[in-house]
Amino acid sequence: LAAVQEASRLRTAVGPSLTWYEEMVRYEELFGPASDGSLSRRFAVLILFFCIVISAVTLIRKGGLPGVPTGPAARLLGVTVGSLLFLTLTPTKWTHHFGAFAGVGAAVAALAALAMAPAVLRSARNRLLALSVLMALVAFALTGTNRFWHVSNYGVPFDDRPPLFLGRGVANWLLALTLLLLIAAALFHYLELRKDRTTEPPLLVRMITTTPVMVVAFALVLWQLASMTLGALSQYPAYSVARSNFDAVRGEPCGLARDVLVETDPNAAFLTPADGLAPAAAIGAGENNGFTPNGVARDLTPESLEDDAAASTPVALGESDAGEEQTTIDPTGTGTEGTLAEPGINESTVPLPYGLDPQQVPLLGSHRPGGGRAALTSGWYELPERSDAAPLLVITAAGRVASTDPFGRPIRGADVMVEYGVQTAPGTDEILGSVRPLDIGPIPAWRNLRVPLADIPAEANVVRIVVRDDDFDEQSWVAVTPPRVPMMSTLNEVVGQDTPVLIDWSVGLAFPCQRPFDHRYGVLEMPEYRITGDFELKAGTDIAQGSFGGGPVGVTALVGSPIAVPAYLSDDWDRDWGSLLVFEPFDENAVAAELDLDTVTRSGRWNPGPIR
């Protein structure tokens, strides 16, 4: 009991912990644009409210329902409404808490079906009125996106907008249907007034108003099944939940770990300059206007995190309440703060991400005070023989690169292209075409631009980087390293199934074969790797699992430095699947603690003192 009380005290102090009068936060999330406000979650809650109201009104007006004892029916409604009130006392305000109503919600839906039965609602007017309210609520639910959580969302249609039909929102069509039903209800009301009696509903009215709750719920279930099916088909052969489930049935149960490809040695994968140039000279062997070895901004904080003071989630609010901070723990995991004590291969003092060795890898960037136009054309680099183990050409870059976001909207930035051609003799090059690398962000942090080698013709044997930055804004700059074609292995092969891993709670179910690090006798086993969700998920879990949240990210940061390892989702190259980080211990000679264990029996009310 004392342990429970202490745990509750700590969770309340650390957060997120909101009070009962902030219950509106839950409904703000429910009707927001994120996964917590997806149409499936909205639909379930709105239908529950509809069923409560229609059942309660019928019980009050009719004094009961045919075939249903009034006492149990009233108690069921009372328990449901009371539970909604008690829900306000929960300190966190997540929308998945509504899942607790699944059992009583089904019973209330059965009551609503009886309340709308022909024996109860005999008037065509009342039936159409009830149906119009139901359609209005369904329309409201369909103003949400068809978004699912993390990997379940891959390939799902309308994950970024409300569903459309014939170019217009389905919610708009349902709203129009609601107006038609209201007009029809008004017409039947007029007819009943003229005849001074209840009008017998026509066959069509009886058909559409007999079991409307069941019909719309069944339609939504079919829509969800169709969404996941379409998502799996559009993703294939890339990862999807459906394909992963089939793989598990066939004896390959490791989920996303089989599809994430990891660079085994990035420093060994850089392409050889085609004309015998040294690596430091080849990167700027063509045109170089405004690019320098140190042309990288000092602040590489992703733009989506720059305004953290305007925290939009209860997680961020809880972190702010506890620590008065809104920053995350190295949100990109690239570990590129500060400057190098010893200049790199082309005299750059800028730290490189992903474990790239500055003594082997040159760098050129266009950042400078005042901004200005810049242009860069590298020398030609030889392409290796094609291999299934090396499906990508990769350029590590920072700054603003022209691309499109996951929702298809253009992103302003420098124009970065990869030109490919044929070299028959040194200095004799024929350009065959160009391709724009895929950029998944975040801007302006270090990240890996990637070009699938399948997009480069087989006859091409050389490539080069061409950059054009025509924006005078000082914030518009770009930095690049030479191209590389890395050999890759799956995350399952690199990390293995016995290595201790810190797996973020947000992605744990997607990596069932990786072993979470042990926590025994109050001592943590130091993990060798960390697996995170995509950038936005990682920003949130860094807070929840960080030092102020009392989580393992805060603990591991004291004994090791996490370095991001380049990793990509196979056959879905422009997808931000998440990140793999390897921990580099601060002390290579550190060893695991040796524990002296003893057994002591205590009372359940024993309390050694508060945890600090």
Side-chain angles (χ1 to χ4, degrees):
L1 180 59
V4 172
Q5 292 173 339
E6 182 65 12
S8 298
R9 184 188 69 83
L10 282 175
R11 290 191 178 96
T12 301
V14 171
S17 179
L18 303 181
T19 55
W20 64 268
Y21 53 81
E22 294 175 289
E23 177 67 7
M24 187 54 65
V25 171
R26 193 191 313 275
Y27 294 92
E28 289 175 358
E29 294 292 325
L30 183 65
F31 298 112
S35 299
D36 282 340
S38 63
L39 65 88
S40 55
R41 295 197 180 194
R42 295 184 185 188
F43 176 86
V45 176
L46 290 172
I47 287 297
L48 175 63
F49 290 161
F50 172 81
C51 292
I52 290 173
V53 172
I54 197 73
S55 301
V57 169
T58 305
L59 279 177
I60 294 171
R61 290 188 68 247
K62 302 289 186 178
L65 295 173
V68 179
T70 303
R75 286 192 292 274
L76 174 62
L77 293 177
V79 166
T80 306
V81 174
S83 298
L84 285 169
L85 297 177
F86 284 119
L87 191 65
T88 64
L89 302 179
T90 55
T92 56
K93 303 298 180 185
W94 307 130
T95 61
H96 61 242
H97 290 162
F98 287 114
F101 293 91
V104 293
V108 173
L111 279 183
L114 293 173
M116 297 182 69
V120 179
L121 280 183
R122 297 173 180 169
S123 167
R125 174 200 61 196
N126 292 343
R127 287 191 181 193
L128 292 171
L129 276 175
L131 183 59
S132 65
V133 172
L134 178 61
M135 288 298 102
L137 292 177
V138 174
F140 191 30
L142 290 176
T143 58
T145 61
N146 190 39
R147 185 183 293 272
F148 292 84
W149 180 254
H150 190 42
V151 297
S152 300
N153 199 51
Y154 291 178
V156 171
F158 302 114
D159 65 322
D160 61 334
R161 69 198 71 182
L164 302 176
F165 179 69
L166 298 179
R168 292 186 177 273
V170 175
N172 294 336
W173 292 107
L174 289 177
L175 186 60
L177 177 59
T178 299
L179 295 176
L180 290 176
L181 291 171
L182 287 173
I183 292 172
L187 177 60
F188 278 105
H189 176 68
Y190 173 73
L191 294 175
E192 291 177 3
L193 287 178
R194 288 194 59 184
K195 296 181 179 180
D196 196 25
R197 62 182 177 85
T198 299
T199 303
E200 181 68 21
L203 177 60
L204 178 60
V205 174
R206 294 200 301 272
M207 289 177 60
I208 65 176
T209 59
T210 300
T211 54
V213 173
M214 183 188 72
V215 171
V216 296
F218 183 69
L220 183 77
V221 171
L222 287 181
W223 164 251
Q224 301 297 293
L225 292 174
S227 294
M228 299 304 290
T229 302
L230 290 173
L233 293 176
S234 66
Q235 283 289 105
Y236 191 82
Y239 177 89
S240 67
V241 172
R243 204 218 69 196
S244 178
N245 289 340
F246 280 114
D247 289 344
V249 172
R250 293 189 295 109
E252 298 175 345
C254 291
L256 200 59
R258 295 182 58 251
D259 287 80
V260 173
L261 299 180
V262 180
E263 293 190 31
T264 53
D265 189 356
N267 288 301
F270 285 91
L271 302 184
T272 302
D275 298 319
L277 295 174
I283 190 172
E287 178 186 9
N288 185 352
N289 178 19
F291 279 79
T292 63
N294 291 311
V296 178
R298 287 184 177 275
D299 185 7
L300 298 181
T301 302
E303 293 179 354
S304 58
L305 295 181
E306 287 180 347
D307 190 23
D308 280 340
S312 60
T313 67
V315 170
L317 289 173
E319 174 73 357
S320 175
D321 291 343
E324 298 301 328
E325 291 190 10
Q326 289 295 337
T327 57
T328 59
I329 302 173
D330 189 10
T332 59
T334 50
T336 53
E337 297 79 11
T339 57
L340 296 175
E342 180 181 351
I345 188 173
N346 67 333
E347 301 304 316
S348 173
T349 59
V350 177
L352 291 177
Y354 305 111
L356 299 179
D357 184 1
Q359 300 303 320
Q360 301 180 51
V361 183
L363 161 71
L364 287 177
S366 64
H367 182 269
R368 58 188 183 274
R373 288 184 175 179
L376 174 70
T377 301
S378 75
W380 290 99
Y381 294 87
E382 298 176 356
L383 280 174
E385 292 185 7
R386 305 298 173 91
S387 167
D388 291 339
L392 289 179
L393 183 144
V394 178
I395 301 170
T396 299
R400 298 193 64 89
V401 177
S403 61
T404 56
D405 68 9
F407 304 133
R409 298 171 297 201
I411 296 175
R412 179 177 59 86
D415 197 32
V416 178
M417 302 294 292
V418 173
E419 289 187 347
Y420 51 84
V422 176
Q423 186 179 73
T424 55
T428 304
D429 307 294
E430 177 187 354
I431 300 175
L432 298 180
S434 63
V435 60
R436 186 182 301 278
L438 302 172
D439 180 13
I440 65 170
I443 295 172
W446 285 108
R447 66 265 192 202
N448 288 312
L449 312 183
R450 66 286 304 262
V451 175
L453 287 178
D455 294 346
I456 298 178
E459 61 268 25
N461 60 8
V462 289
V463 294
R464 69 180 181 182
I465 303 171
V466 178
V467 183
R468 293 292 181 271
D469 183 5
D470 295 326
D471 196 327
F472 286 92
D473 189 349
E474 184 176 344
Q475 301 302 316
S476 179
W477 60 273
V478 65
V480 295
T481 63
R484 64 184 186 271
V485 177
M487 300 297 289
M488 300 191 192
S489 298
T490 67
L491 185 147
N492 202 44
E493 294 169 341
V494 172
V495 176
Q497 301 181 19
D498 298 319
T499 304
V501 183
L502 167 54
I503 308 176
D504 284 9
W505 66 267
S506 56
V507 298
L509 296 179
F511 296 92
C513 291
Q514 277 54 63
R515 179 175 77 82
F517 67 96
D518 286 335
H519 181 188
R520 294 179 180 175
Y521 309 117
V523 177
L524 296 181
E525 177 186 25
M526 182 60 188
E528 296 183 25
Y529 295 92
R530 178 186 174 193
I531 300 174
T532 79
D534 58 42
F535 173 72
E536 296 296 336
L537 274 178
K538 182 180 182 298
T541 52
D542 276 353
I543 297 172
Q545 299 176 180
S547 56
F548 290 111
V553 171
V555 177
T556 54
L558 299 175
V559 292
S561 176
I563 302 299
V565 180
Y568 316 87
L569 188 57
S570 178
D571 296 311
D572 197 0
W573 307 118
D574 59 346
R575 176 82 62 183
D576 182 4
W577 70 269
S579 61
L580 174 67
L581 298 96
V582 59
F583 286 103
E584 293 186 354
F586 295 135
D587 184 356
E588 294 288 347
N589 298 319
V591 296
E594 295 184 4
L595 304 180
D596 293 327
L597 304 178
D598 195 5
T599 301
V600 179
T601 302
R602 301 288 190 187
S603 164
R605 299 190 61 82
W606 179 77
N607 186 356
I611 298 176
R612 297 179 181 179

